Amino acid sequence: MSDLAQNQKADREPLFSKKNKKLVTDPLTDNNPVTIQVLGICSALAITVQVKQGVVMGLAVIFVVALGNFIISALRNLIPSRIRIIVQLVVVASLVIIVDQLLAAFMPDVSEQLSVFVGLIITNCIIMGRFEAFAMANKPWPSFLDGIGNGLGYAGLLVLVAVFRELFGSGTLYGFPIFGDYITGSGLYSMGYVNNNLMILPPMALIIVGIIIWVQRSRNKSLQEEH
Amino acid sequence: MAVNRDSNGYTFFFAIILVVVVGSSLAMIAGWTKPYQTRNGEVKKQLDILSAMLDIDSLGINRKNAEEEFVKYVDLKDAIVLDANGNIKEGEKAFDVDIRKEFKDKKLKTKDRNYPLFVATKEGKTFYIIPVIGKGLWGPIWGNICLGEDKQTIVGASFGHKGETPGLGAEISQKFFIDRWLGEKISDENGEFMKFEIVKDGSGKLKPSKVDGITGGTITSKGVEEMANRGLSVYVTYFKNLKQ
């Protein structure tokens, strides 16, 4: 991963360090961590069954990556280079544990739904990727913004995928029934419509992410790779 | 200040400081959130027990009012703890027994586990609520089974799971699966335990002690079967001794 991160750093640094605004807006579109860099895919597949889970997971990742970026950047001149990956890991792990504990204490329902996936934020490549590629080489404030931007980019995609999966898989959005009541068979269901169970299963998330990547690259030719 | 950041001494120094700072701040957070988390666990347990006998969603019972609703139906003074032979264990508090922890504890033998029994009343009728725990395909599954006044007919149940496959095994917590258990008897007229069997041929509706499984959720369904049989048999012995 560090090779990849090094390359990204070399490519992006002049672009990013000029305008702080771009740090936040770029990852939302043309440098989206999920669709362009294809990082953090595992969790995008796992917790996009419902919009609510996606929102909470997105918020948790924004918190971790923004604060983590800030901390790493503030320490960047103190961290011994030989143990920098371990230091980054310790920072991510502690922030994730804090999120996990707070969720379990104050949002128990959400905590139950997300269960192991909160812990798995630690392994989310976006976070370590941003630490290594951005925070280690930039000042705290731009790093914080970069974290917010990348977190938002991730969260936005998560919610987008979850909207499709929840709507067509369960007939609801954020828990509210859209197509009528599935169990009593009212609304659309009375006309013979059924929920698509395939949407609930992980492969469909991969297909939806694929379609999003396809749409994005066909609209923006500069993202297409030459072979 | 010129410090050689690549020296061994500095690396050790940095690592030690980092660990101390991180460790103490995490300990602080854990200590601060602990009471909230314990309370959430208790509320969840109350909701689980209530959901076996009531439709808590339509009654509007949720985490916020769980505590006051719980005492309306369940009197913890009536709750007892049994040992594996169906005898009452004195001095144990049923609500404090953590059957999930005991089930996970590999050192604890099945015969040493505690079996809590909750007694609830609703509109003058008595209900017996039995918590059960078992294994699904991916992780633990659990449930609360509610018996009617005759102490043998299942009148309600709730099942939960940690991470069964959505749409397949996870369906055990759905109403349609729970409905298949209603009316089943856990003991015959002599008070002997009747084993449950999950069947695939759809005969569950017609035959006693047989319950239709979930298509595509065989292992989870079998887990529920094992959980119900192992858990309920202890209580059947207790109820039988009670009659004599």
Side-chain angles (χ1 to χ4, degrees):
Chain A
M1 196 175 77
S2 79
D3 278 350
L4 179 76
Q6 294 284 332
N7 288 340
Q8 286 175 351
K9 183 165 83 172
D11 288 343
R12 242 183 266 138
E13 210 173 341
L15 251 173
F16 271 95
S17 50
K18 280 180 187 161
K19 264 190 177 177
N20 283 344
K21 237 175 157 181
K22 268 187 91 80
L23 290 175
V24 180
T25 54
D26 253 24
L28 298 181
T29 52
D30 288 351
N31 205 357
N32 189 285
V34 184
T35 60
I36 306 301
Q37 299 169 29
V38 201
L39 295 173
I41 282 288
C42 344
S43 52
L45 303 192
I47 34 121
T48 47
V49 178
Q50 287 169 351
V51 175
K52 193 176 181 190
Q53 290 179 18
V55 169
V56 176
M57 183 71 169
L59 288 176
V61 169
I62 293 173
F63 172 81
V64 171
V65 73
L67 214 60
N69 250 0
F70 184 82
I71 293 171
I72 290 292
S73 170
L75 294 174
R76 71 187 188 285
N77 293 326
L78 296 171
I79 298 172
S81 57
R82 276 184 295 174
I83 58 164
R84 67 179 197 289
I85 299 285
I86 298 173
V87 172
Q88 290 165 10
L89 208 58
V90 168
V91 170
V92 189
S94 0
L95 288 173
V96 168
I97 292 169
I98 290 172
V99 170
D100 194 26
Q101 298 283 320
L102 291 180
L103 280 181
F106 301 109
M107 296 173 83
D109 287 321
V110 178
S111 169
E112 264 163 39
Q113 281 173 359
L114 291 177
S115 61
V116 297
F117 296 114
V118 174
L120 287 179
I121 296 176
I122 298 174
T123 60
N124 193 323
C125 323
I126 296 172
I127 297 170
M128 290 290 279
R130 292 329 292 164
F131 285 6
E132 183 70 4
F134 198 87
M136 285 301 280
N138 288 281
K139 290 197 170 122
W141 176 238
S143 299
F144 181 76
L145 290 178
D146 177 75
I148 297 272
N150 277 278
L152 277 175
Y154 171 78
L157 190 99
L158 230 57
V159 171
L160 185 62
V161 176
V163 163
F164 285 109
R165 290 184 73 192
E166 187 175 346
L167 187 61
F168 296 112
S170 315
T172 58
L173 269 184
Y174 211 82
F176 296 109
I178 300 293
F179 294 151
D181 195 326
Y182 185 51
I183 293 160
T184 57
S186 64
L188 261 185
Y189 297 108
S190 61
M191 292 185 266
Y193 173 81
V194 283
N195 287 330
N196 186 349
N197 270 341
L198 183 63
M199 293 300 270
I200 297 176
L201 300 175
M204 209 54 208
L206 195 61
I207 293 170
I208 293 173
V209 172
I211 292 172
I212 292 172
I213 293 177
W214 177 24
V215 170
Q216 191 181 16
R217 295 199 181 197
S218 65
R219 284 170 60 108
N220 187 345
K221 299 268 188 266
S222 67
L223 295 172
Q224 290 174 11
E225 286 148 26
E226 303 271 338
H227 285 291
Chain B
M1 194 175 66
V3 179
N4 181 6
R5 279 204 288 144
D6 288 326
S7 75
N8 285 345
Y10 180 77
T11 306
F12 274 110
F13 171 76
F14 189 89
I16 289 166
I17 296 286
L18 183 78
V19 168
V20 169
V21 170
V22 165
S24 51
S25 57
L26 285 185
M28 262 170 55
I29 295 273
W32 172 53
T33 55
K34 180 92 192 175
Y36 297 98
Q37 293 182 11
T38 319
R39 223 192 99 59
N40 289 337
E42 281 168 8
V43 168
K44 176 76 188 152
K45 206 166 177 180
Q46 291 172 338
L47 285 177
D48 280 350
I49 293 171
L50 282 184
S51 63
M53 60 179 284
L54 307 163
D55 184 355
I56 57 168
D57 288 335
S58 64
L59 287 171
I61 303 176
N62 51 36
R63 280 183 182 275
K64 285 195 191 93
N65 58 11
E67 205 154 20
E68 45 200 87
E69 293 289 331
F70 186 73
V71 292
K72 274 188 206 164
Y73 297 102
V74 183
D75 191 347
L76 283 176
K77 276 188 227 123
D78 297 337
I80 51 169
V81 179
L82 304 175
D83 64 14
N85 299 321
N87 303 316
I88 298 181
K89 271 189 165 179
E90 297 294 340
E92 297 270 358
K93 280 193 179 141
F95 195 77
D96 294 341
V97 173
D98 189 342
I99 56 166
R100 207 181 299 183
K101 205 168 158 190
E102 291 185 6
F103 183 71
K104 260 208 224 154
D105 189 349
K106 294 245 160 47
K107 283 184 211 138
L108 197 70
K109 290 186 186 125
T110 317
K111 64 176 175 57
D112 295 331
R113 285 187 199 140
N114 291 309
Y115 296 86
L117 173 67
F118 299 97
V119 183
T121 46
K122 186 185 148 199
E123 291 156 7
K125 283 186 187 151
T126 315
F127 295 91
Y128 299 88
I129 299 166
I130 299 170
V132 285
I133 175 98
K135 258 190 282 189
L137 172 60
W138 305 113
I141 52 175
W142 56 87
N144 285 280
I145 294 172
C146 179
L147 302 179
E149 236 164 346
D150 61 356
K151 302 187 183 81
Q152 61 173 165
T153 314
I154 296 179
V155 297
S158 65
F159 295 112
H161 63 92
K162 183 151 188 195
E164 298 306 299
T165 320
L168 303 174
E171 300 284 295
I172 59 163
S173 58
Q174 298 291 319
K175 193 173 175 296
F176 78 88
F177 182 69
I178 290 162
D179 284 348
R180 293 175 184 173
W181 290 81
L182 304 186
E184 298 286 344
K185 288 194 170 26
I186 63 167
S187 55
D188 60 17
E189 54 273 25
N190 299 324
E192 294 299 330
F193 179 59
M194 295 205 295
K195 245 185 173 204
F196 286 104
E197 197 190 340
I198 294 278
V199 289
K200 289 185 176 178
D201 56 5
S203 62
K205 266 195 198 116
L206 311 166
K207 293 181 189 162
S209 291
K210 290 199 195 299
V211 176
D212 291 324
I214 294 171
T215 311
T218 305
I219 297 175
T220 313
S221 303
K222 283 282 172 193
V224 177
E225 172 192 298
E226 190 274 338
M227 167 170 91
N229 285 333
R230 179 171 38 77
L232 291 173
S233 59
V234 173
Y235 298 89
V236 171
T237 324
Y238 167 71
F239 289 138
K240 193 187 168 194
N241 295 340
L242 212 61
K243 268 188 189 166
Q244 285 169 351

